[in-house]
Amino acid sequence: MPGTGTETITQEFKAEIKQLLDILAHSLYTNREVFVRELISNAADALYKVRFESVSGKEIQDPELPFEISIKLDKDQKLFTITDTGIGMTREELISNIGTIARSGTASFLKELKESSQQEKPDLIGKFGVGFYSVFMAGHKVRIITRSAQKDAEAWSWESDGSGTYTLTPETSAPRGTKIEVHLREDALEFADKFRIENIIRKYSNFVPFPIKIDGEQFNKISAIWREPKSALKPEQYIEFYKFHANTEEEPLSYLHFSADAPIQMNVLVFFPKTNYEWTSYANREHGVSLFVRRVHIQTGMKELLPDYLRFLKGVVDTEDLPLNISRETLQENAVVFKIKTLLVKRVLTHLKEMAEKEKDKYLEFWKQFARIFKEGYIDFTNREQVGELLRFNSSSCTSPDELISFDDYISRMKEAQKSIYYLSASGYEAMKQNPLLEIYKQKGIEVLYLYDPIDEFVMTGLQTFKEKTIQSVDQVDLKELEEIKDEKTGTTPESTEAEKVDVREMDKLCRRIKDILGDKVTDVRISQRLTESPVVLINPDGTMSGQMKKILHLVNQSAELPPQALEVNGKHPLIQNLQKIYNSNPNDSYLTQVVEQLYFTALMQDGYMAEPYKMVNGIRELLKESSHWYLERNKQDNQ
Ligand code: ADP
């Protein structure tokens, strides 16, 4: 900690802050007004915090001071001053809090900011907020005088011209809270103009639930919009409130506003954002719904109000059924909070379902942004069915990789004798279309869900069933299950045609020979019931975990060996029939060995898992060499 804590010290900013200050001071001339929003929002947060301390019975500094924000504008002095009676900061807090930019992820934010064009910059700043430092867009010098609400805390001031250092000085007296003096740059004198400031507040900070005074006069009307009846509110008011609450310039995608009396009395207003910013580290898995008790803010972004898979929602829950002086620790196991959560989840899921039915495009927009988070909902056992209804997948009946269907769409198209919902994972649409595991499904016209996202496998195995239909990966299905389903083209079941062509006893012998050749690389070699076009395919032997799931686990733990699979052979395929003939005349034929090895490699490749592709090279070349001899041979015969 710099200094002894009693004298004035000068400190250097961290390198990343210097960089940010440089960008703010030199390259941004539009949208500078957001600094007012940032300062007001910090003041409001500070007031929330001290009010919470106060209602929970803690002794605070200057308890008689009202909770409010006041702004003073002085054109002559070129000064914009904002004062709050909030929580204030101790010396240590000044050093650590004012030393961090816009939550976490500063480095990546800066990178994006630097790489963005001049036009995009204000937009980025508007979206994420750069917090306190935005003040240097308008000020050439800034002074903070603050006193923590902790009883008998000392007052301190912080001052900087934004060029590289700041100073900390002890103050003899100051009331609880924080005062920020912004010495305006010559080109930013508009921020000493009352009319201009009023407009900015109207635009960004209309919903601050504390009085905002401008030069002594209260400017804002305080309303808790979530407590007003829906009929009294216009869509613009919702949008405006969202922008304020989520500190964004983007409009919400949708919102849900309701009040309930039983089992809990509460007013709820939650928003579905348009964009998912979680990929950036600024909003690292943060929850966005805040808890209020009788209009008093208790906690921002409270994790206990919603399950993680709905963490992207923003908004407010205000209840009558909790005491005002509840401590944050006890909130975690509070029965009332649990009831709120239960009800809220149901309502949110119902809202999404309605959106999916009535506003399809909007729902798809939601899905595109938040699917990755929402899918985590497969672990919500109580709401499994509702979560399941909202999932979307690409499938074999879709005409493009972007088309999406639901489980219900799938079920409505199921074959008469079909009992399960089938899926397969692969890296993409084209790979999926080529997958030999799907041949029998194509033949029978059975739809298969195509999964591209690794989490999908977990979702499917987690859900297990949907509306009493088992969900199964095609590589784990017991093919007896498909026997009753008629072949789509011929309208018959497959055995009748198959048995005619394949001599099962002979083929079994060939399979045993193939197993000898491949050794431990495969667990078993058997005649396939599922192939119609490909000669061979690899299958999971134990039926407990799908092939894709194994690959995911392998990715996670590279050292884990991928267990060997079983090889299935298509007895009707001309290549296999030829191999049968070769085998019949000489079981130890070396050409047979060569071909079997190469076939195994092709199956590995098709399965998307060929760890050592070079192994294939020599074998292929050998075969090509031989086939070129035969080709010449045949040509010679043809020409004779
Ligand atoms: P953010 O508000 O996103 O955390 P800021 O840069 O705006 O980022 O502020 C950094 C921190 O400084 C805040 O989290 C808060 O702890 C502290 N702070 C800023 N303004 C005030 C204020 N008016 N009163 C008390 N603390 C404040």
Side-chain angles (χ1 to χ4, degrees), residues 560-627:
E561 279 276 299
L562 216 73
Q565 292 171 290
L567 188 76
E568 285 197 0
V569 174
N570 177 3
K572 287 176 281 178
H573 193 280
L575 172 56
I576 302 297
Q577 289 183 342
N578 284 344
L579 292 185
Q580 180 79 64
K581 284 178 202 148
I582 298 171
Y583 172 83
N584 291 349
S585 61
N586 175 13
N588 296 317
D589 191 294
S590 68
Y591 176 76
L592 178 66
T593 313
Q594 259 179 316
V595 172
V596 164
E597 277 172 355
Q598 293 308 310
L599 260 181
Y600 166 73
F601 285 138
T602 61
L604 264 186
M605 281 175 96
Q606 212 158 20
D607 194 39
Y609 192 75
M610 172 104 184
E612 300 159 315
Y614 57 87
K615 282 199 179 158
M616 213 175 154
V617 175
N618 286 342
I620 285 273
R621 289 186 181 151
E622 202 52 41
L623 280 177
L624 288 175
K625 192 176 82 191
E626 280 188 38
S627 67

Side-chain angles (χ1 to χ4, degrees), residues 38-39 42-43 45-46 49 84 87-89 97-98 100-103 130-133 146 178 180:
E38 297 294 329
L39 294 187
N42 281 350
D45 281 347
K49 287 180 193 158
D84 65 68
I87 193 90
M89 282 174 275
N97 296 352
I98 300 294
T100 51
I101 311 168
R103 298 151 211 106
V130 286
F132 169 76
Y133 285 97
T146 183
T178 304
I180 299 174

Side-chain angles (χ1 to χ4, degrees), residues 438-456:
L438 291 179
E439 288 170 9
I440 190 167
Y441 294 85
K442 269 186 226 158
Q443 191 188 8
K444 289 172 179 280
I446 304 170
E447 184 168 5
V448 175
L449 299 176
Y450 290 175
L451 312 186
Y452 307 124
D453 183 352
I455 190 188
D456 289 339

Side-chain angles (χ1 to χ4, degrees), residues 253 274 360-370:
L253 182 71
K274 250 198 188 120
K360 250 188 162 159
D361 289 345
K362 204 183 238 193
Y363 185 74
L364 291 179
E365 226 180 297
F366 159 78
W367 186 253
K368 220 165 131 194
Q369 291 288 325
F370 295 101

